[in-house]
């Protein structure tokens, strides 16, 4: 999937680059369709009508929903998790979705994390094994790509756009990278999504250190995308997030995400529109 790259020169991308919330731009010159993506960990999220979360779902918004990841984790059953992945991949394929945005393999050290239900719990080894199982299921017939997320150390919700997860190098590798190492080694997901938050004071999507670890140490050779609007300083700076945004250390600042820093770090796709950080 490494060909799915935004074009930093502009135009929304020549071989990728989002032209909508969950669609990449078609390349009519080569007769290549843009990649179509869909959340998520409980199956393909569908909403009726013509909004950004609607196509390619049925008009009535119907799509099978599966138990949450944390519920599935309670089974301790990797074979069942792979079967659920196969079912999600089948639904995605029927909906003409190319990339399913799952699994979430962030560990759960804090019970107030708003996306705790999307995780497999607090154990990185178990999270890696369950994550690899569902990836293998989704990708079993090579029709749908899985997207492991959110790299790296995304463990809080209300300040996730700027909070820094602080840890020493041993904790980074033994705890926060363990699940990623297992998922990459055991299932080879086609896609990985970065997180909003910082780790060790740096955003994972702008610091080559973390992308180099993912590529060179863990051996990931697929495409890396940002989370939606992660590079927009109005969000990471908290300016459009109301009262909670004022707690951002970057509140009211500009230029703290340098131009081209994503691509210099090794990010392939800036989502959703490939239009901000060229």
């Amino acid at each position: 999937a490494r060909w799915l790259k935004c074009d930093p020169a502009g135009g929304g991308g020549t071989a990728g680059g989002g032209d909508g919330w969950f669609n990449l731009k078609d390349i009519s010159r080569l007769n290549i369709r843009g990649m179509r993506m869909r959340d998520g960990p409980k199956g393909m999220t569908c909403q009726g009508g013509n909004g950004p979360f609607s196509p390619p779902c049925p008009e009535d918004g119907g799509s099978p929903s599966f138990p949450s990841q944390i519920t599935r984790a309670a089974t301790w059953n990797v074979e069942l998790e792979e079967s659920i992945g196969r079912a999600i991949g089948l639904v995605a394929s029927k909906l003409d979705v190319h990339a399913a945005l799952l699994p979430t393999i962030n560990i759960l050290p804090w019970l107030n994390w708003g996306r705790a239900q999307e995780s497999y719990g607090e154990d990185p080894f178990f999270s890696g094994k369950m994550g690899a199982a569902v990836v293998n299921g989704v990708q079993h017939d090579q029709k749908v790509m899985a997207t492991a997320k959110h790299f790296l150390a995304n463990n809080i919700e209300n300040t996730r756009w700027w909070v820094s997860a602080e840890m020493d190098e041993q904790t980074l590798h033994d705890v926060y990278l363990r699940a990623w190492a297992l998922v990459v080694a055991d299932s080879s997901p086609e896609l990985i999504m970065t997180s909003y938050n910082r780790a060790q004071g740096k955003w994972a999507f702008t610091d080559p250190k973390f992308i180099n670890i993912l590529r060179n140490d863990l051996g990931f050779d697929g495409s890396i995308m940002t989370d939606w609007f992660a590079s927009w300083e109005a969000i990471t700076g908290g300016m459009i997030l109301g009262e909670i945004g004022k707690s951002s250390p970057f509140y009211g600042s500009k230029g703290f995400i340098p131009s081209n820093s994503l691509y210099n770090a090794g990010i392939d796709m800036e989502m959703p529109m490939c239009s901000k950080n060229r």
Side-chain angles (χ1 to χ4, degrees):
R2 291 301 307 281
W3 59 273
L4 296 167
K5 290 179 177 288
C6 288
D7 175 13
T14 56
D19 61 356
W21 279 86
F22 289 100
N23 299 326
L24 297 186
K25 194 173 182 179
D26 291 340
I27 311 173
S28 55
R29 179 177 59 86
L30 300 176
N31 197 28
I32 296 175
R33 294 182 59 203
M35 186 171 68
R36 298 168 68 147
M37 312 176 213
R38 218 60 193 148
D39 274 323
K42 294 190 293 185
M44 297 297 94
T45 304
C46 279
Q47 174 183 322
N50 296 310
F53 301 98
S54 302
C57 296
E59 290 186 5
D60 64 1
S63 178
S65 179
F66 297 86
S68 65
Q69 281 192 194
I70 198 68
T71 302
R72 302 194 317 252
T75 68
W76 296 85
N77 191 328
V78 293
E79 291 81 11
L80 177 60
E81 186 67 357
E82 183 169 344
S83 296
I84 289 175
R86 284 174 172 257
I88 292 174
L90 176 61
V91 172
S93 178
K94 295 295 184 182
L95 290 172
D96 198 24
V97 168
H98 309 132
L101 304 180
L102 78 149
T104 298
I105 58 168
N106 299 112
I107 62 170
L108 178 58
W110 189 54
L111 292 178
N112 286 336
W113 180 31
R115 313 254 312 246
Q117 51 86 20
E118 287 191 12
S119 77
Y120 291 114
E122 72 277 12
D123 186 280
F125 180 83
F126 181 65
S127 296
K129 288 297 184 181
M130 290 290 279
V134 80
V135 168
N136 282 327
V138 169
Q139 298 185 163
H140 76 282
D141 59 359
Q142 298 183 333
K143 291 182 179 179
V144 177
M145 298 179 285
T147 310
K149 58 185 187 181
H150 307 83
F151 186 82
L152 176 69
N154 177 37
N155 308 307
I156 195 171
E157 187 68 12
N158 58 342
T159 58
R160 60 180 168 154
W161 298 276
W162 55 78
V163 70
S164 181
E166 299 301 331
M167 68 206 74
D168 59 26
E169 287 298 304
Q170 182 173 352
T171 303
L172 171 67
H173 287 269
D174 291 354
V175 178
Y176 289 95
L177 287 170
R178 181 61 169 152
W180 294 99
L182 288 166
V183 165
V184 171
D186 292 354
S187 65
S188 298
E190 290 287 347
L191 300 159
I192 282 179
M193 182 189 299
T194 59
S195 59
Y196 290 111
N197 61 279
R198 295 175 293 152
Q200 297 179 332
K202 304 290 186 180
W203 277 287
F205 59 83
T206 67
D207 195 313
K209 169 184 176 178
F210 299 113
I211 304 303
N212 286 339
I213 289 174
L214 190 57
R215 294 284 191 207
N216 302 328
D217 296 351
L218 305 189
F220 178 68
D221 63 357
S223 286
I224 302 173
M225 68 173 73
T226 67
D227 205 337
W228 268 230
F229 300 105
S231 61
W232 286 39
E233 291 180 343
I235 291 179
T236 51
M239 279 76 82
I240 63 172
L241 297 174
E243 200 62 31
I244 188 65
K246 295 179 181 179
S247 65
S248 170
F250 308 99
Y251 187 78
S253 301
K254 293 182 179 179
F256 52 87
I257 297 181
S259 180
N260 287 323
S261 59
L262 277 71
Y263 304 106
N264 292 335
I267 295 294
D268 299 307
M269 294 182 285
E270 182 183 12
M271 299 304 296
M273 298 172 185
C274 189
S275 59
K276 171 64 172 63
N277 193 292
R278 297 194 182 121

